[in-house]
Amino acid sequence: MTTTSIQRSGLGKAMGGVGRAREFGILIALALVVIAATAKNPNFLFSADGWRDLLLTPSILVLVAVGQAIVIITRNVDLSVGSVMGLTAYLTGRLFIDIPGIPIVIVVIAAVAFGALLGLVNGALVAFAKVPAMVITLGTLYAYRGINVLWAGSDRVNASDMPKDFLGLGTAQLIGIPVLAIVALIVLAIAAWYMRNTRSGREYYAIGSDPAAAELYGLKVTRRLLTAFVLSGALAGLAGVFYAARYGSVSSQAGAGWELDAVGAAVIGGIAITGGVGSVWGAAIGAMLLMTINRALPILGIQDFWQRAVVGALIIGAIVLDRVLAVRQKRRLIEARDES
Amino acid sequence: MTATTATATTRVIREHDRPLWHRVLLTREMAIIALLILVIVVAMSTVRGFGQPITLNYLLLDVAPILLIALPMALIMVTGEIDLSVGSMVGLASVVTGVLTQAGAPFEVAALAALAVGVVGGAVNGFLVTVVGLPSLAVTIGTLALFRGLAVGLLGTTAVTDFPEMWTALAKAKIAGTTIPYITVPFLILLVIFVVLLHFTPFGRGIYAIGLSKDAARFSGVHVERTKFILFVLAGVVAAFAGIFFTLRFGSARGDNATGLELQVIAAVVLGGVSVFGGRGQLHGVVAAVLLIGVLSSALRLANVTSDVINIITGGLLVASVVAASLLAWAQRLRARIPPSRLTASSAP
Amino acid sequence: ADTGAGSGGDGGGSEGGSDNLTITFLPKNLGNPYFDTSSKGGKTAVEEIGGTFAEVGPAEATPDAQVSYINTATQQGVGALVVSANDPKAICDALNEARDAGVKVVTFDSDTNPDCRDLFINQADAEGIAKVQVDLIAEQIGGAGEIAVLSASANATNQNAWIDLMTEYLASDYPDITLVETVYGDDDDQTSFDKTAALLQTHPNLKGIISPTTVGIAAAARYLSTSDYKGTVALTGLGTPNQMREYVEDGTVTAFALWNPEELGYLSAYAAAALIQGDITGAEGDTFEAGDLGEYTVGADGTVLLGDPFEFNADNIGDFDF
Amino acid sequence: MLDSVADQIDPLNGEDAPVAVEVENRSPADAALELHRVVKSFGPVVALRSGSLTLRSGSIHALIGENGAGKSTLVKIMAGLYRRDSGEFRLHGDDVDFTSTAQSKAAGIAVIYQEPTLFPDLSVTENIFMGRQPTSRIGRIDRKSMRQEVEQIFRRLGVSLDPDRITEGLSIADQQIIEIAKAISLDASVLIMDEPTAALSGVEVERLFAVARSLRDEGRAVLFISHRFDEVFALCDTVTVMRDGAYISTTPIAETTVDELVRQMVGRDVTELFPKQTVPVGGPLLEVTGLTSPGIFHDISFTVRAGEIVALAGLVGAGRSEVARAVFGVDAYREGEVRMLGETVPRHNPTHAMRAGLALVPEDRRKQGLVIESGVGSNITMAIRSRLAKFGLLTTGMENRAAKEWASRLEVKAHALDTVSSTLSGGNQQKVVLAKWLATNPRVLIIDEPTRGIDVGTKAEVHRLLSQLAGEGMGILMISSELPEVLGMADRVLVMREGRITAEIDRAEATSENVMFAATHATELHS
Ligand SMILES: Nc1ncnc2c1ncn2[C@@H]1O[C@H](COP(=O)(O)OP(=O)(O)OP(=O)(O)O)[C@@H](O)[C@H]1O
Ligand SMILES: Nc1ncnc2c1ncn2[C@@H]1O[C@H](COP(=O)(O)OP(=O)(O)OP(=O)(O)O)[C@@H](O)[C@H]1O
Ligand SMILES: [Mg+2]
Ligand SMILES: [Mg+2]
């Protein structure tokens, strides 16, 4: 029995290693993309705009992906994030137009709160009505977008409608790092700490790992699900503010299709779609990778029309590679039992 | 084995827990069908222009791609998987048909090639899901981008528009004496095939078993991987067929054809009672749901309701339908004082 | 028309004219300020004429979604349908079916094949549009260097036609300017924005960008205004004054062009009414009165020309609000 | 007196039979937990008609009864998972009414459920401490002290699981150990264990008993549910018997006997627990040679002949189930060969194995044996669905005919054929699995833990059935962790240890000593 214990212990450690290796692998892929693009065109990294865009462009998706990751970890999914982001982006613009001189902080708080509210609707439907999240959020994906179009009509928010200070946030830098990227990083770090080191954080994993067991266990499943969706909504809301600041113009279609990017980022980043596995860091790196690939392709000389195809192939490549490595690692570990 | 009968006493087990009317009428499928009929009746009497025979023609032409793809999609979702790449496959098949026709191939050849592309695309999904063992949601998010990217890449800014008159006419032709478009015929054939496949074959039993418990299915000799693979290929082919139809109906092959179709299909399949967790759902519900969405949008459009409101209503209907179902189950449990069973709670459709 | 298309069908080919002044505008998509403005013009005109105005349209600019709306108009038996086509061919059959049922079809902004509509209201002739943009960029970059185009969707009929003409005009009149790449922002803010960023990174020597679409030029201006390239890379194209005001004022953009979309809608509605009432049939040489805009004559291929594109710059942009 | 009461009532006799039986010498003073005439029904199914139970601090109480007697339902009511329809429930003298498991946990009741309820993606440590991890003042989980505590509990239990390993892929036994650790770490005043030993082998059971005893000595109340009488007698002080959802009797263990308890449980006498008849052994059916899957099992060779029951014994984790799965084609193997009647069976393909005449009743009924959310009928016909089809077509009618036949042959107690299998009791579920495989008319039946969690009555039935099948010429490979079952049923015993077969012992020579020896000591016996 003692010998087995040693072997198992080894296996356990190594399995933990595999988990970490997933994020590491994606990080390597990200680095490769950056290096390749920079080699082709040094501007990609070594120009003020290049450096800024490298950090700035993924920031918005990082926020959405972090929220998405938390939801997926609970074995749910939030397909409405794109619509939530669009709505809050429009709300942001609308507030600046309708209440001249409104402080930026108030607008940010309002947008985040509004996003949280939309998330709460999702969460309540999922948690209380016990309806699969995929269905609920597919429904609210349409419904929220519809509300957005109803509200905005053909109106759009233009850069001239928003205060300069606010638009400045979209590009402002602090010690050479874009402010939005810093905010995203802070949010990410807090989320990561919360998910890893607090009781409630761990409960998301437990719920996703086996929802029925979580119920048996007496975990506050309903409350956690609500929180997960509220967090996802709030982060999408914050992303909406970012979107307005960065792109300076918001139409009723803002954020359309982002749900797939967000889910894609989480999945690439090693979040298991079946819940319980992965980290928000992984999702964030996945988001970086997706956006960076998008930016790197034209530089690498891939013609505009083919870029979608390459992105698709890369998504598949990333998850296949990830899987192959994990399987090989696992097999090696099992066979290693014989030697010891 | 005769000896085992020695212990067989008189106890004969009943076939059904609930009476027939209960099983047939109190189902989600029936609720959708009832709703469909209700919407048709209301639209007939209140929406001007809805009662014309041509409405049926437009309606069926509009929903045909969704109807077609919903069939294999329902089966895939019953196994607990999903295919998000179907919309892109419609686009890719359309482009392949166009490119080959443009290059001088006879239309029939081009169409066959498009179907072959459907097979290959479906096989790629199937391979990644079953052999490599990746989650289908992730895989098909990837192929969603890949297939669309190939479609857009192949045609670029151009659109192929010269297809043989005979075929484009056929795509819109009405069955003699009616306003029903001809596309209904292949759809009905496919419907019969899929209904038999899902509800009346051992293969179909396997599909449900996989959706409820992959392990148990495998231990019972169900070829879990093979079954899923076949379904993904079927989804690919049917999507390609829908793509050819799409091309002919609009007489135009473009890279962006049918963008976003996948979500419409999935919405309809779910509305029709297929559980996204797998193991539950029936095709009559799915077909009724596709028609319900179609009729509703058609009637609302006629009433000059804007597309955004139509979207809100579609989304709301989807949410309401599942919420209502689970509220109903909840009420029943309350009456019967059955605790939320650990396993059924998570598998409500 | 009260009984729907059934009765409209009889009137199909008749030249007599009818009093069904229901005019429905079907832009490429809803939520696009350009079409918002054109529909506004259309609405004004329809009200002047005493008809019924409606605007319908899909959320996304795809031909298949447009077809559903064309069919609906056919079922409703509207008097005329005023369409900006998402595809020259794909919506043809649906339009012809509508015409068979007695609906007059006017295209504006983006045409279909000539045999699928009664009239096309052309905002400005294609050569003129191409020329003004090329001239603007040539002036801004000093007649030499690399330029790129940020277009709408890859299949946009009008954009593609203009880009072709621009290429020809560049080759003949500005041999020192090279068009290095055309990218497509799909008339989506964010995509156009990111494509601009990519263009600037990919072509370090880029001197100018032409964006012949209102969404694209605004997004590109937004990116440029926040980047190091502001002032060094020129930007022009077709934009609306309201969206571009900010960037003209801050110097990102010096000049761009556009016709007045409100007038385009206005003219389209009058043309539609003239068709309905049987004043014109769409034949070359027909003339009709278009309210405040005066008299117009139908040209070759059933085309009516609105006028020349207008050039906006810092001096005059303050005079416009659309 | 108790006996007479038990004799008087006959719960099988309709609904209104007088079921209320006063628990003798009720003295709430030292009763830690009391249930009285608790009723619970699930729709039409009455799971508990009158459940009564009194647990005392400093005592280990056994609860026994046939499958479906309502033991687990009673447990779930105590756990706050179900709410009773009526009846009394007192904890330390106070009336309680739990609406969630969190409440019962907070009130000091720790429960080990019959089915392990672990989070497969989380580490062993996290599983044990989920929801109540030790934290620092700012709410940060103190992983170090959490781990130390786990190591301490494991030491006490004498197990050597890696606390950092994820629980995915652990055997049922290891999962059960984690459940036990979880319950112990709760430091509860009442510990309820619903068949904790069903998956455990001798050594682990002994350790568990030691822990249970020390908990008792600390003054806690322990409830122990088991179908194994030896364990009940070895561990418990008092025993309560239930039958058909009703309380039957409570007796000090010293004052009763196995026969007596069995009679109360079943309502009739049960004799011959292991009625294996000797039948002439025929020719070889299943021949396995040199089966190897690196890291899992090595060089496994054996033969199963017609009419023979071969037992595969060994400690938990020895790899027996893996061998069974490889032979049946569910898992792949790297080297070796499986032959049926001389023909090679293609590897990694259960359908081919079925066609060759193999059947496998797997160890995990709920996950592997049954499509648990599916009806009884469709489960029974699952493995013969292709055979039932005519011209490739299959209707529910065809299925139901076959299912009905097999359900009645094995006397499956279910409401109807479309009753969802998860609502059946464990024993009935096992019967459904057996029916499903016997319907395929196999030549060799591999059966993994045939009577895990099954009551005496059903157990005897299963054994009789197995014996009968062997008598008809079927070859049976039986994997079992219960030594009495192995010794009673097997014609030949194969013992596995750490993925290798370490001994082959004939029925005549097989004793618990030499089987255990081979299971724990590697090579000596073999040579
Ligand atoms: N959720 C449920 N829904 C319907 N019936 C149920 C449910 N849970 C249990 N039952 C029924 O209640 C009865 C008692 O079941 P229970 O699980 O308490 O038996 P048990 O004594 O624990 O049996 P075993 O020894 O097999 O574990 C059985 O007939 C069972 O089918
Ligand atoms: N040395 C080891 N290290 C890690 N895991 C192991 C080791 N040995 C066995 N296991 C795992 O423990 C589990 C127990 O193996 P298995 O189920 O084959 O045992 P068994 O003899 O059939 O026991 P049971 O009676 O519980 O079925 C397997 O899942 C196996 O992967
Ligand atoms: Mg039980
Ligand atoms: Mg085992």
Side-chain angles (χ1 to χ4, degrees), chain D residues 67-68 70-73 76 114-115 194-195 225 227 425-426 453:
Chain D
N67 290 128
K71 305 180 293 295
S72 299
T73 306
K76 286 173 181 167
Q114 193 166 356
E115 311 90 26
D194 195 352
E195 303 195 33
I225 300 177
H227 289 294
S425 73

Side-chain angles (χ1 to χ4, degrees), chain A residues 1 5 8-9 12 196-199 202-203 205-206 209-210 214-218 275-277 334-335 337-338, chain D residues 81 101 105 117 119-121 126-128 130-131 133 139-141 143 160-162 174 182 294-295 298 334:
Chain A
M1 206 68 183
S5 114
R8 286 191 182 188
S9 174
R196 178 164 166 76
N197 289 318
T198 66
R199 281 185 188 173
R202 299 317 290 171
E203 286 182 13
Y205 284 90
S209 195
D210 188 341
E215 202 84 55
L216 265 188
Y217 210 109
V277 178
I334 288 179
E335 295 187 3
R337 277 189 214 154
D338 288 341
Chain D
L81 192 66
T101 52
K105 216 183 266 186
T117 53
F119 306 114
D121 302 303
E126 286 212 277
N127 261 290
I128 293 173
M130 181 53 64
Q133 297 95 332
R140 184 180 205 279
I141 292 173
R143 285 176 201 276
S160 49
L161 271 170
D162 175 4
D174 284 343
K182 202 155 84 178
H298 294 271
R334 188 174 288 179

Side-chain angles (χ1 to χ4, degrees), chain A residues 4 7-8 337, chain D residues 169 171 315 317-322 363 449 481:
Chain A
T4 5
Q7 291 158 19
R8 286 191 182 188
R337 277 189 214 154
Chain D
S171 67
L315 294 186
R320 298 163 299 169
S321 299
E322 270 82 354
E363 75 183 318
E449 305 291 359
S481 300

Side-chain angles (χ1 to χ4, degrees), chain B residues 274-291:
Chain B
V274 175
S275 161
V276 287
F277 294 124
R280 282 181 176 77
Q282 291 180 321
L283 285 177
H284 61 285
V286 171
V287 172
V290 178
L291 293 176

Side-chain angles (χ1 to χ4, degrees), chain A residues 72 75-77 79 125 128-151 153 210-213 215-216 259-261 263-264 267-268 271-274 303-313 315-316 319-320 322-324 327, chain B residues 77 82 84 88 124 128 132-139 141-157 259-260 262-267 270 274-277 306-309 311-312 314-316 318-319 322-323 326-327 333 340 342-343 345-346 348-349:
Chain A
I72 297 182
R75 198 184 279 191
N76 285 289
V77 69
L79 294 180
L125 288 170
F128 293 118
K130 299 250 190 302
V131 182
M134 169 136 178
V135 181
I136 288 297
T137 57
L138 185 60
T140 51
L141 160 95
Y142 285 122
Y144 292 166
R145 177 68 62 195
I147 292 170
N148 195 349
V149 179
L150 264 190
W151 184 18
D210 188 341
E215 202 84 55
L216 265 188
E259 55 281 345
L260 292 188
D261 283 345
V263 175
V267 168
I268 291 176
I271 308 260
I273 208 81
T274 46
Q303 215 200 335
D304 192 44
F305 295 126
W306 293 99
Q307 282 170 20
R308 290 272 287 281
V310 176
V311 168
I315 291 179
I316 295 168
I319 51 180
V320 168
D322 193 45
R323 168 82 187 167
V324 168
V327 166
Chain B
M77 289 179 70
I82 199 162
L84 292 176
S88 299
V124 168
L128 292 171
V132 186
L134 296 167
S136 54
L137 187 65
V139 166
I141 282 180
T143 48
L144 167 93
L146 178 65
F147 297 160
R148 182 64 69 190
L150 291 176
V152 175
L154 278 172
L155 262 187
T157 60
T259 303
E262 58 280 346
L263 290 188
Q264 295 179 39
V265 173
I266 291 166
V270 169
V274 175
S275 161
V276 287
F277 294 124
T306 50
S307 52
D308 23 303
V309 180
N311 276 349
I312 296 183
T314 313
L318 183 63
V319 171
V322 280
V323 171
S326 81
L327 283 184
R333 267 206 308 275
R342 319 175 32 206
L343 290 144
S346 60

Side-chain angles (χ1 to χ4, degrees), chain D residues 296-353:
Chain D
I296 298 171
F297 50 78
H298 294 271
D299 198 21
I300 303 292
S301 304
F302 61 87
T303 304
V304 178
R305 285 180 277 266
E308 189 183 39
I309 298 184
V310 178
L312 198 51
L315 294 186
V316 158
R320 298 163 299 169
S321 299
E322 270 82 354
V323 169
R325 291 163 49 151
V327 169
F328 189 64
V330 174
D331 291 350
Y333 48 89
R334 188 174 288 179
E335 282 155 39
E337 192 182 24
V338 176
R339 284 189 301 176
M340 274 293 286
L341 295 162
E343 301 273 330
T344 303
V345 181
R347 65 179 70 179
H348 206 170
N349 188 332
T351 314
H352 280 127

